[in-house]
Amino acid sequence: MRKFLYILLSLAICSANVMRDSDLGEDEDWMVGNDLHNLPQPMISSQLTTRLFHIEQQLTNFEGTMSTLQAELTALRDRVQVERDQTGASFNNLKHLLNNEYIQRRSSLDEVNLSLTFLQSQLHQTENQTSLMDQIRQELCRVTPTLGLIEHLTSPAGHYQYTWQEAKQACEADGGRLAEYRELYAEYRRGLERCDCGWLADGTAWYPMHSVWPQCKNARGMHVCEEQGTYNAWCWKKLTICP
């Protein structure tokens, strides 16, 4: 912009030179025969000088405004970065809490529900966190629609005292139902081990083993029980985090 002003000023000076030469009324022969550098410099009009001064002032003000806007833009970028970092940290913390809840659900249904209530109270602090919690819960329940807890139930009368019908009634009275084989097998794949037979919903009795014990068929895997007609029960309870 300053270069433009200088060019404008040079053009004005040249125009003034032409006008002065014209006013002198001299012939071209006189101009050729004289040294142009010795001519007196033309005077710039006060109106042009004032105009140039105003333009230069506007340019200075514009540069100051641009500097202010640049500083504000830098501050805004810094603020966006800080908020982005905070959001990322909150999301990572949320994932960590949800993972802990999923692990703890196997040990105690009441403890899981209590922890989930606490987690929900934390997430409800902001609308965005609540929305994120709903999305994660929906995705979790979509991937594992039969999310529940396997429990091994023993009769109050003692070890291996349930018939299949009694085992079914005991599970229902405890707020669940007899587990299906696929549900017991899924828990076995996640590490469940118990050398005690329990009834399943299909009328068979099984127990899962990862260790090798002589009294437990001395082998790893899912083992069917066929020695007698009464056993314990494998009960399945649905968790409350899914509708």
Side-chain angles (χ1 to χ4, degrees):
M1 182 63 74
R2 291 183 184 273
K3 290 183 178 180
F4 173 75
L5 291 177
Y6 293 147
I7 293 173
L8 185 62
L9 180 59
S10 298
L11 290 175
I13 293 173
C14 290
S15 297
N17 281 335
V18 173
M19 292 177 62
R20 181 180 178 87
D21 292 344
S22 210
D23 292 340
L24 290 175
E26 298 292 337
D27 296 334
E28 292 183 359
D29 293 339
W30 183 89
M31 292 296 295
V32 171
N34 291 275
D35 187 1
L36 295 178
H37 295 287
N38 294 329
L39 290 176
Q41 296 297 322
M43 298 297 293
I44 302 175
S45 66
S46 61
Q47 182 179 4
L48 180 58
T49 303
T50 303
R51 181 59 179 162
L52 290 176
F53 174 76
H54 286 317
I55 293 176
E56 201 164 39
Q57 284 293 108
Q58 292 176 0
L59 178 59
T60 301
N61 294 338
F62 176 75
E63 291 176 345
T65 302
M66 287 297 295
S67 298
T68 302
L69 290 176
Q70 185 66 34
E72 293 178 355
L73 178 60
T74 300
L76 181 59
R77 286 175 177 170
D78 293 342
R79 179 179 175 183
V80 169
Q81 185 61 43
V82 170
E83 293 182 356
R84 182 180 299 168
D85 293 342
Q86 291 176 347
T87 302
S90 299
F91 181 74
N92 290 334
N93 183 54
L94 176 61
K95 288 199 302 184
H96 177 70
L97 291 175
L98 287 177
N99 184 59
N100 288 342
E101 291 301 317
Y102 178 77
I103 295 174
Q104 293 176 4
R105 70 178 178 81
R106 293 173 54 189
S107 61
S108 172
L109 179 60
D110 293 337
E111 183 177 340
V112 169
N113 289 332
L114 181 62
S115 298
L116 180 61
T117 300
F118 172 77
L119 179 60
Q120 289 174 332
S121 68
Q122 297 291 356
L123 294 178
H124 289 164
Q125 292 179 0
T126 65
E127 183 178 352
N128 290 337
Q129 288 177 330
T130 300
S131 176
L132 179 60
M133 176 62 186
D134 291 340
Q135 293 175 11
I136 293 176
R137 181 191 294 113
Q138 290 172 7
E139 183 64 16
L140 180 62
C141 294
R142 183 188 68 81
V143 175
T144 57
T146 58
L147 191 63
L149 179 70
I150 291 287
E151 293 182 336
H152 191 86
L153 197 63
T154 303
S155 170
H159 190 60
Y160 286 178
Q161 295 297 313
Y162 282 138
T163 63
W164 179 85
Q165 186 64 34
E166 291 171 341
K168 180 176 180 295
Q169 294 174 353
C171 287
E172 292 173 352
D174 196 39
R177 60 170 172 75
L178 277 176
E180 298 179 5
Y181 177 84
R182 62 182 179 82
E183 294 165 344
L184 180 61
Y185 181 74
E187 287 298 313
Y188 161 72
R189 292 289 301 272
R190 286 191 283 264
L192 178 64
E193 177 181 69
R194 180 158 184 153
C195 187
D196 290 314
C197 296
W199 288 111
L200 296 178
D202 61 1
T204 61
W206 295 78
Y207 66 94
M209 290 298 299
H210 292 278
S211 304
V212 177
W213 294 355
Q215 64 272 31
C216 299
K217 292 190 177 181
N218 205 32
R220 300 180 179 88
M222 294 285 294
H223 303 295
V224 65
C225 306
E226 300 174 344
E227 290 80 5
Q228 60 188 62
T230 56
Y231 302 104
N232 296 334
W234 289 109
C235 299
W236 184 90
K237 288 184 178 180
K238 186 175 182 179
L239 293 185
T240 58
I241 62 174
C242 295

